Amino acid sequence: MSPHDDHPHPAQTDDVSDLPHESGPSGGWGSMTGIARIFGDQWPSLSVTDTLRRLNKPGGTMCASCAWPKPANYHAFEFCENGAKATIWESTSARCTPDFWKDHTVAELRDWSDHDLESTGRLTAPMRYDAETDRYVEVSWDEAFAEIGPILKDLEPEEAVFYSSGHAGLEASYLWALMARVYGNNNLPQSSNMCHETTSVGLTKVIGSPVGTVIWEDLEQTDCYFFFGQNPGTNSPRFLHPLKEAKDRGAKIVTFNPVREQGLISFVDPQDLHAMTTGDPTIISDQYHQLRGGSDIAAILGICKAVIEADDTQGDVIDWAFINEHTHGFGDFIDFARTTPWDAICTECGLPESDLRDAAQVYMEAKRVIGVYGMGLTQQTHGSWNIGMLTNLLMLRGNIGRPGAGICPVRGHSNVQGQRTVGIAEKTKLIPMDKLRELFGFEPPQKDGLHIVDAAQGLIDGTVKAMVCMGGNLLRALPDTERLEKVWPRQRLNVMVSTKLNRSHLFPAQATYILPCITRAEVDQQDSGNQWITIEDSFSMIHGSRGHRKPASPHLKSELAITCALAKAITAPSPRLHWDAWQADYSRVRDLIEATYPNDFKGMNARMNQPGGFWRGNPAHERIWKTESGKAEFTVPGKLNALDFDDAPGRFRLLTMRSNDQFNTTIYGYSDRFRGIEGTRDVLLMNPEDMADAGLSHGDVVSLIGDAADGLHRRLDGLSVVHFNLPRGTVGSYYPECNVLIPVGLHDQLSKTPASKGVPVRIEPAL
Ligand SMILES: Nc1nc2c(c(=O)[nH]1)N[C@H]1C(S)=C(S)[C@@H](COP(=O)(O)OP(=O)(O)OC[C@H]3O[C@@H](n4cnc5c(=O)[nH]c(N)nc54)[C@H](O)[C@@H]3O)O[C@H]1N2
Ligand SMILES: Nc1nc2c(c(=O)[nH]1)N[C@H]1C(S)=C(S)[C@@H](COP(=O)(O)OP(=O)(O)OC[C@H]3O[C@@H](n4cnc5c(=O)[nH]c(N)nc54)[C@H](O)[C@@H]3O)O[C@H]1N2
Ligand SMILES: [Mo]
């Protein structure tokens, strides 16, 4: 039992009569209370207020939480509740020093919760696992690299994997990718393999762009948003400001989500004195459609069908000029929309035809529409079809590549998109190998590397023998965590560059090292001074960032310094590889990035601190389609939902959720304020009629049983049932606890993104 683990279930504070669990607007005083609570919990030094003041402003520090863009015209406080939580969490005064291990063994810590592991504080020194005592012991940096080097050199290059989790800046990421390639592989999976890989692959297929087409000016000009499966209130709260501004000028917002998410319902701007005093919220969604989990294809098709019918009767609804000039495949798509009957569409998505026609009406009345999406669309077995369908809808009225319109995937980690841009990619076709050869005088490996799902399978099969991780917590973030915990220790080597202790440290391989790093808000002192780093946001804007805080320990190194030291330990010296000089002055790495990607990063060193960042451009924004046909592609999905299983008696569609009190596997606390769930994460959210049919009452304890076709047994015990406003047949429970239920093989068919929002489960009462 963890020391602070006083969160037994059931402990919901909500009243069951209080359906649909609405908790007051997002933002407002609730967000202040959320920040105050974590402040009291973590006791950061008071200089954290200085860090917060500098967040997301030119010349300041770019928030290490999400990738939401940073505007040129920033607010006095350009951070949100969750950005503040992330900053306070890493600025904690708590330290997990080598002495911590005097009192604890690794085996014992496996019973601790994710929250309590990270609550031990910032890691302060490099550590090596000692099997004899089952503890970590301090090592010097030199010893660590001297031991890691020979192990990796002894492996076949293909047996080692270099994972990264979207935090490290462009400079460290560029060198990380270079290091792997000089070492001899393209095994560079990244956290986006678990989230927006569906975008990288699926969106590229239809519009030739791996990233969204929208920029700030579009947000300022749009008159309509369609939201599919993205939750700005929790995951990108600064998005609520442009949404409010849009509502203030009369724009419309239509949302499709099985869960009524508070951030998409109403918002009180904490920086608006009048709103804070009166408590008057802005209503965000004009229409909120709670479709069944995984059924967006049907819902979007219904909207398209209504638009096509309106064009048939009234004319001039579809943008024929755009379709004729810019698209391919429209004939097949319009046939599909015409021939799919309304009752099939409505049965699948669980919404009446009138709802879809209402949504279509708003869509047709709007001149400029932005389609926003997140994990609700990407983390499905046919997530790529979802993205194709949303693109179909936007293209019907030419809503891509013109001002105020476009497609807007909202990214996750703060630099997750940028890491891909500068070479962290397992697919060789994405990398300018000729440039690398020319710049560094080596022969880059030609074979595609491993996606994170392939790496997980490789761990199971025994073909992957070393995971070297720049951040992250794979033993919680990946699917099938219980299976992976069993095979992870078989590795020859595991190296984890981390800021805090997490569960992935507790299943040591034959040799295991934890290498602690500074965070973005901390001073990154090198020979030429405190270094700037850069990141890329969701709108492909590049921003400089520099830390001002004293590092949590004098023994920490930067991610870039660790990369250079590792590179020297695992690759042969070469007159073209100046790892020491690059570490001494990161501007030299920016010159390399510019030399490798001249179109994207022209003048990088000079432009990085431009207010709002500099844009690396996007051909699809200018209606240049880098697809196979040279046109934007209409696509026809293979079926009306994005799942790999059919409905069956007793089978539910599980969507794994983030609470407002977590950042991925980092659990800040047990208050999912927006959903009215307090004091526990061990819950199963369920429709009241489904509960009645299953003979369950609010507070009953149940188990979830995996119901995938592979026949393996997967279960999660001890969840208390919560009476919740969800469509019938769809249930919700938290990520990462639920990851034991998701098969490694359950993923998007095109991009391999795990289908974390479309998991087949059954429910069993507790014994
Ligand atoms: N505070 C905080 N911020 C974060 C993160 C965090 O954990 N905490 N994580 C970061 C990361 S790495 C990422 S990738 C992003 C993730 O941000 P989001 O993309 O918002 O991800 P989720 O909250 O997992 O899911 C989004 C929504 O999808 C809905 N949904 C589930 N299934 C379906 C479906 O079948 N159809 C539709 N239409 N909707 C569905 C859920 O109810 C939820 O509201 O956020 C980033 N920002
Ligand atoms: N069921 C289910 N599974 C999911 C998802 C889901 O919605 N449902 N979402 C998926 C998504 S979108 C993602 S992105 C992945 C997330 O997967 P990961 O990126 O692997 O996980 P995180 O929780 O972000 O990693 C947290 C750890 O990163 C380390 N860390 C924090 N800050 C830094 C830093 O600045 N530098 C370094 N080097 N380390 C740092 C800390 O040690 C911390 O414990 O999970 C995926 N898994
Ligand atoms: Mo993510």
Side-chain angles (χ1 to χ4, degrees):
M1 184 88 168
S2 313
H4 314 99
D5 201 355
D6 50 1
H7 308 282
H9 46 80
Q12 292 78 49
T13 55
D14 46 301
D15 177 347
V16 291
S17 60
D18 177 31
L19 282 172
H21 288 259
E22 275 164 20
S23 52
S26 55
W29 292 107
S31 64
M32 298 297 173
T33 318
I35 297 173
R37 201 207 65 234
I38 197 152
F39 206 94
D41 226 31
Q42 296 296 309
W43 290 108
S45 70
L46 282 178
S47 63
V48 77
T49 51
D50 186 47
T51 308
L52 289 172
R53 198 174 48 76
R54 292 172 196 266
L55 274 192
N56 299 327
K57 295 182 186 165
T61 305
M62 296 303 127
C63 181
S65 189
C66 80
W68 183 252
K70 296 91 179 84
N73 304 319
Y74 47 86
H75 294 86
F77 301 108
E78 194 51 50
F79 61 88
C80 65
E81 172 184 356
N82 285 330
K85 281 185 187 170
T87 307
I88 294 169
W89 189 253
E90 65 179 35
S91 313
T92 177
S93 55
R95 297 287 178 271
C96 183
T97 67
D99 279 350
F100 171 80
W101 297 97
K102 287 189 181 147
D103 302 323
H104 304 285
T105 62
V106 165
E108 172 205 336
L109 294 177
R110 281 189 213 125
D111 290 335
W112 285 29
S113 66
D114 297 309
H115 170 266
D116 289 348
L117 288 172
E118 286 211 19
S119 289
T120 56
R122 289 284 301 280
L123 296 162
T124 62
M127 308 291 286
R128 173 184 55 216
Y129 177 69
D130 175 48
E132 219 158 275
T133 57
D134 191 32
R135 291 162 210 265
Y136 279 90
V137 292
E138 187 171 358
V139 276
S140 71
W141 284 101
D142 287 348
E143 274 174 282
F145 293 121
E147 291 166 16
I148 292 166
I151 305 177
L152 278 172
K153 282 181 171 164
D154 197 40
L155 293 178
E156 291 299 321
E158 281 168 22
E159 295 171 332
V161 173
F162 299 93
Y163 171 72
S164 55
S165 115
H167 280 284
L170 295 174
E171 296 77 3
S173 304
Y174 177 88
L175 294 184
W176 181 257
L178 177 63
M179 169 190 75
R181 296 200 165 96
V182 176
Y183 170 76
N185 69 35
N186 289 296
N187 286 347
L188 287 158
Q190 192 221 16
S191 56
S192 69
N193 283 165
M194 294 176 274
C195 59
H196 270 292
E197 190 64 23
T198 327
T199 300
S200 309
V201 177
L203 200 58
T204 301
K205 187 175 161 211
V206 292
I207 63 164
S209 166
V211 299
T213 65
V214 165
I215 54 176
W216 272 110
E217 288 69 29
D218 297 319
L219 301 192
E220 286 160 4
Q221 292 172 38
T222 191
D223 53 13
C224 180
Y225 285 96
F226 267 70
F227 266 86
F228 290 89
Q230 200 268 334
N231 182 13
T234 285
N235 298 323
S236 48
R238 287 183 302 110
F239 195 175
L240 297 175
H241 296 279
L243 291 181
K244 176 181 177 297
E245 280 154 27
K247 290 308 300 253
D248 288 348
R249 59 170 193 268
K252 292 276 192 294
I253 299 181
V254 177
T255 295
F256 285 82
N257 193 318
V259 182
R260 280 181 70 82
E261 302 286 23
Q262 194 54 52
L264 286 161
I265 292 173
S266 61
F267 171 56
V268 169
D269 179 356
Q271 301 189 33
D272 177 338
L273 197 61
H274 175 76
M276 285 294 272
T277 322
T278 59
D280 283 347
T282 300
I283 300 304
I284 299 289
S285 295
D286 298 274
Q287 294 180 20
Y288 205 115
H289 301 293
Q290 287 180 269
L291 77 178
R292 299 171 73 205
S295 71
D296 298 81
I297 292 171
I300 301 172
L301 184 64
I303 305 172
C304 292
K305 190 173 169 76
V307 172
I308 293 165
E309 286 175 8
D311 189 79
D312 286 344
T313 51
Q314 307 153 29
D316 265 357
V317 176
I318 291 178
D319 184 344
W320 290 103
F322 173 80
I323 289 179
N324 292 333
E325 187 185 343
H326 286 286
T327 71
H328 171 252
F330 186 61
D332 288 346
F333 175 69
I334 201 167
D335 286 350
F336 175 67
R338 287 203 167 113
T339 54
T340 310
W342 275 107
D343 61 349
I345 290 173
C346 297
T347 307
E348 177 48 50
C349 67
L351 299 170
E353 185 180 322
S354 58
D355 279 13
L356 300 176
R357 288 192 182 277
D358 288 348
Q361 195 57 38
V362 172
Y363 179 72
M364 290 187 285
E365 282 166 9
K367 294 202 171 61
R368 293 172 289 271
V369 180
I370 291 178
V372 180
Y373 70 90
M375 299 300 99
L377 292 200
T378 64
Q379 293 179 334
Q380 303 281 1
T381 307
H382 298 293
S384 298
W385 292 349
N386 278 335
I387 289 163
M389 274 309 294
L390 178 55
T391 307
N392 291 340
L393 172 64
L394 291 171
M395 292 199 300
L396 275 183
R397 285 176 49 80
N399 277 310
I400 297 194
R402 67 183 165 82
I407 192 154
C408 179
V410 182
R411 296 274 169 168
H413 281 296
S414 56
N415 194 31
V416 67
Q417 186 170 310
Q419 293 195 325
R420 293 307 227 185
T421 309
V422 297
I424 293 193
E426 64 282 6
K427 296 191 189 88
T428 48
K429 67 171 188 215
L430 301 177
I431 305 301
M433 296 296 187
D434 289 347
K435 277 269 190 247
L436 296 184
R437 194 179 290 116
E438 177 192 315
L439 283 167
F440 304 110
F442 77 109
E443 193 47 50
Q446 295 303 318
K447 196 176 151 207
D448 276 350
L450 299 179
H451 181 290
I452 198 64
V453 161
D454 300 325
Q457 192 58 50
L459 286 164
I460 292 170
D461 301 339
T463 50
V464 166
K465 297 188 178 152
M467 294 290 302
V468 184
C469 301
M470 179 55 81
N473 182 7
L474 285 174
L475 279 181
R476 294 303 272 164
L478 277 168
D480 251 337
T481 36
E482 204 170 289
R483 274 178 90 198
L484 288 170
E485 284 176 359
K486 295 204 176 83
V487 297
W488 188 269
R490 294 196 314 220
Q491 293 176 75
R492 180 71 193 84
L493 172 73
N494 184 205
V495 179
M496 282 170 286
V497 181
S498 308
T499 52
K500 299 238 181 140
L501 193 61
N502 65 44
R503 193 164 171 87
S504 300
H505 302 130
L506 304 180
F507 294 83
Q510 287 171 36
T512 298
Y513 297 83
I514 304 176
L515 305 182
C517 64
I518 58 167
T519 63
R520 202 177 287 160
E522 291 170 343
V523 170
D524 186 349
Q525 190 66 35
Q526 305 296 345
D527 287 353
S528 65
N530 185 15
Q531 302 296 305
W532 290 95
I533 62 138
T534 47
I535 59 125
E536 174 181 334
D537 68 29
S538 268
F539 290 174
S540 311
M541 298 289 191
I542 314 296
H543 307 262
S545 173
R546 190 158 67 166
H548 299 266
R549 297 173 61 79
K550 192 173 150 211
S553 147
H555 306 302
L556 302 183
K557 283 187 187 288
S558 73
E559 289 168 315
L560 188 142
I562 295 172
T563 305
C564 290
L566 193 60
K568 288 199 293 178
I570 68 173
T571 63
S574 147
R576 309 276 283 277
L577 297 169
H578 306 287
W579 303 106
D580 290 331
W582 295 333
Q583 179 183 329
D585 180 358
Y586 297 4
S587 72
R588 296 187 59 172
V589 185
R590 285 188 285 278
D591 290 338
L592 294 174
I593 295 176
E594 186 175 338
T596 315
Y597 306 93
N599 295 335
D600 290 334
F601 292 101
K602 200 167 177 342
M604 187 178 189
N605 270 308
R607 293 162 80 205
M608 66 182 180
N609 285 322
Q610 191 167 301
F614 73 85
W615 191 40
R616 62 174 185 86
N618 182 341
H621 189 264
E622 324 304 330
R623 295 193 164 173
I624 297 165
W625 318 103
K626 305 254 178 189
T627 56
E628 261 173 42
S629 63
K631 305 255 182 187
E633 294 285 340
F634 274 94
T635 48
V636 174
K639 58 184 182 125
L640 291 185
N641 68 39
L643 306 168
D644 91 324
F645 54 91
D646 296 324
D647 289 324
R651 178 182 287 163
F652 289 85
R653 303 173 176 191
L654 169 71
L655 51 94
T656 58
M657 310 181 307
R658 294 171 152 76
S659 90
N660 186 52
D661 218 4
Q662 77 184 81
F663 189 88
N664 297 335
T665 71
T666 296
I667 310 300
Y668 302 130
Y670 296 81
S671 170
D672 196 358
R673 172 162 60 82
F674 293 148
R675 302 198 185 103
I677 296 166
E678 298 289 339
T680 180
R681 295 174 51 87
D682 300 327
V683 289
L684 178 66
L685 310 188
M686 203 169 169
N687 170 290
E689 289 170 54
D690 283 342
M691 284 169 57
D693 280 0
L696 293 168
S697 306
H698 183 85
D700 281 357
V701 178
V702 296
S703 301
L704 279 182
I705 313 295
D707 202 20
D710 67 3
L712 294 180
H713 188 64
R714 299 182 176 87
R715 71 182 291 140
L716 177 62
D717 297 322
L719 301 176
S720 39
V721 176
V722 173
H723 205 209
F724 207 76
N725 183 348
L726 272 170
R728 292 206 66 174
T730 301
V731 293
S733 187
Y734 289 117
Y735 144 63
E737 289 81 350
C738 281
N739 288 35
V740 291
L741 298 165
I742 309 173
V744 167
L746 190 75
H747 54 66
D748 176 41
Q749 292 304 288
L750 219 56
S751 66
K752 296 190 183 164
T753 308
S756 308
K757 300 289 188 273
V759 188
V761 292
R762 293 174 184 278
I763 299 169
E764 262 183 18
L767 299 175

mmCIF file of all heavy atoms in Angstrom, residues 50 109 269 306 358 382 384 393 557 569 590 704:
data_model
loop_
_atom_site.group_PDB
_atom_site.id
_atom_site.type_symbol
_atom_site.label_atom_id
_atom_site.label_comp_id
_atom_site.label_asym_id
_atom_site.label_seq_id
_atom_site.Cartn_x
_atom_site.Cartn_y
_atom_site.Cartn_z
ATOM 1 N N ASP A 50 7.254 33.100 -10.577
ATOM 2 C CA ASP A 50 8.025 33.760 -11.625
ATOM 3 C C ASP A 50 8.000 32.906 -12.898
ATOM 4 O O ASP A 50 7.814 33.405 -14.006
ATOM 5 C CB ASP A 50 9.460 33.932 -11.095
ATOM 6 C CG ASP A 50 10.309 34.735 -12.035
ATOM 7 O OD1 ASP A 50 9.817 35.796 -12.483
ATOM 8 O OD2 ASP A 50 11.439 34.315 -12.341
ATOM 9 N N LEU A 109 7.778 -1.168 -3.953
ATOM 10 C CA LEU A 109 7.208 0.001 -4.646
ATOM 11 C C LEU A 109 6.198 -0.390 -5.717
ATOM 12 O O LEU A 109 5.425 0.442 -6.176
ATOM 13 C CB LEU A 109 8.326 0.844 -5.256
ATOM 14 C CG LEU A 109 9.264 1.518 -4.253
ATOM 15 C CD1 LEU A 109 10.380 2.256 -4.973
ATOM 16 C CD2 LEU A 109 8.508 2.487 -3.344
ATOM 17 N N ASP A 269 -14.049 32.672 -17.970
ATOM 18 C CA ASP A 269 -12.650 33.038 -18.161
ATOM 19 C C ASP A 269 -12.075 33.563 -16.842
ATOM 20 O O ASP A 269 -12.490 34.617 -16.357
ATOM 21 C CB ASP A 269 -12.584 34.127 -19.240
ATOM 22 C CG ASP A 269 -11.162 34.601 -19.505
ATOM 23 O OD1 ASP A 269 -10.241 34.134 -18.794
ATOM 24 O OD2 ASP A 269 -10.996 35.438 -20.403
ATOM 25 N N ALA A 306 -27.120 14.710 -45.252
ATOM 26 C CA ALA A 306 -28.069 15.825 -45.191
ATOM 27 C C ALA A 306 -27.578 16.984 -46.066
ATOM 28 O O ALA A 306 -28.393 17.644 -46.736
ATOM 29 C CB ALA A 306 -28.244 16.282 -43.739
ATOM 30 N N ASP A 358 -29.829 18.709 -37.753
ATOM 31 C CA ASP A 358 -29.572 19.985 -37.060
ATOM 32 C C ASP A 358 -28.093 20.360 -37.184
ATOM 33 O O ASP A 358 -27.752 21.522 -37.420
ATOM 34 C CB ASP A 358 -29.914 19.881 -35.569
ATOM 35 C CG ASP A 358 -31.418 19.820 -35.327
ATOM 36 O OD1 ASP A 358 -32.178 20.096 -36.283
ATOM 37 O OD2 ASP A 358 -31.815 19.477 -34.188
ATOM 38 N N HIS A 382 -10.258 1.805 -36.544
ATOM 39 C CA HIS A 382 -10.303 2.424 -37.871
ATOM 40 C C HIS A 382 -10.247 3.935 -37.725
ATOM 41 O O HIS A 382 -11.026 4.671 -38.340
ATOM 42 C CB HIS A 382 -11.530 1.951 -38.642
ATOM 43 C CG HIS A 382 -11.527 0.474 -38.888
ATOM 44 N ND1 HIS A 382 -10.605 -0.145 -39.711
ATOM 45 C CD2 HIS A 382 -12.294 -0.525 -38.378
ATOM 46 C CE1 HIS A 382 -10.823 -1.457 -39.705
ATOM 47 N NE2 HIS A 382 -11.833 -1.718 -38.897
ATOM 48 N N SER A 384 -8.134 5.934 -38.876
ATOM 49 C CA SER A 384 -7.821 6.614 -40.144
ATOM 50 C C SER A 384 -9.093 6.849 -40.963
ATOM 51 O O SER A 384 -9.203 7.860 -41.651
ATOM 52 C CB SER A 384 -6.823 5.795 -40.961
ATOM 53 O OG SER A 384 -5.621 5.670 -40.239
ATOM 54 N N LEU A 393 -16.272 15.629 -44.800
ATOM 55 C CA LEU A 393 -17.273 16.622 -44.395
ATOM 56 C C LEU A 393 -16.754 18.036 -44.682
ATOM 57 O O LEU A 393 -17.460 18.867 -45.270
ATOM 58 C CB LEU A 393 -17.592 16.462 -42.898
ATOM 59 C CG LEU A 393 -18.481 17.546 -42.286
ATOM 60 C CD1 LEU A 393 -19.875 17.537 -42.904
ATOM 61 C CD2 LEU A 393 -18.593 17.373 -40.756
ATOM 62 N N LYS A 557 21.546 16.581 -15.595
ATOM 63 C CA LYS A 557 22.044 17.012 -16.909
ATOM 64 C C LYS A 557 20.848 17.345 -17.799
ATOM 65 O O LYS A 557 19.729 16.887 -17.532
ATOM 66 C CB LYS A 557 22.828 15.877 -17.585
ATOM 67 C CG LYS A 557 24.236 15.681 -17.047
ATOM 68 C CD LYS A 557 24.947 14.657 -17.930
ATOM 69 C CE LYS A 557 26.301 14.263 -17.390
ATOM 70 N NZ LYS A 557 27.306 15.325 -17.522
ATOM 71 N N ALA A 569 29.186 7.279 -26.111
ATOM 72 C CA ALA A 569 29.407 5.954 -25.526
ATOM 73 C C ALA A 569 29.025 4.814 -26.470
ATOM 74 O O ALA A 569 29.539 3.712 -26.337
ATOM 75 C CB ALA A 569 28.613 5.831 -24.224
ATOM 76 N N ARG A 590 20.917 24.129 -33.896
ATOM 77 C CA ARG A 590 19.877 24.771 -34.717
ATOM 78 C C ARG A 590 20.380 25.005 -36.143
ATOM 79 O O ARG A 590 19.616 24.875 -37.101
ATOM 80 C CB ARG A 590 19.414 26.072 -34.064
ATOM 81 C CG ARG A 590 18.509 25.809 -32.859
ATOM 82 C CD ARG A 590 17.892 27.068 -32.309
ATOM 83 N NE ARG A 590 18.822 27.877 -31.542
ATOM 84 C CZ ARG A 590 19.139 27.671 -30.257
ATOM 85 N NH1 ARG A 590 18.578 26.678 -29.601
ATOM 86 N NH2 ARG A 590 19.995 28.452 -29.635
ATOM 87 N N LEU A 704 -13.791 -5.546 -14.867
ATOM 88 C CA LEU A 704 -13.919 -5.491 -16.325
ATOM 89 C C LEU A 704 -13.106 -6.636 -16.901
ATOM 90 O O LEU A 704 -11.967 -6.878 -16.477
ATOM 91 C CB LEU A 704 -13.368 -4.180 -16.868
ATOM 92 C CG LEU A 704 -14.274 -2.951 -16.787
ATOM 93 C CD1 LEU A 704 -13.563 -1.752 -17.417
ATOM 94 C CD2 LEU A 704 -15.612 -3.193 -17.466
#
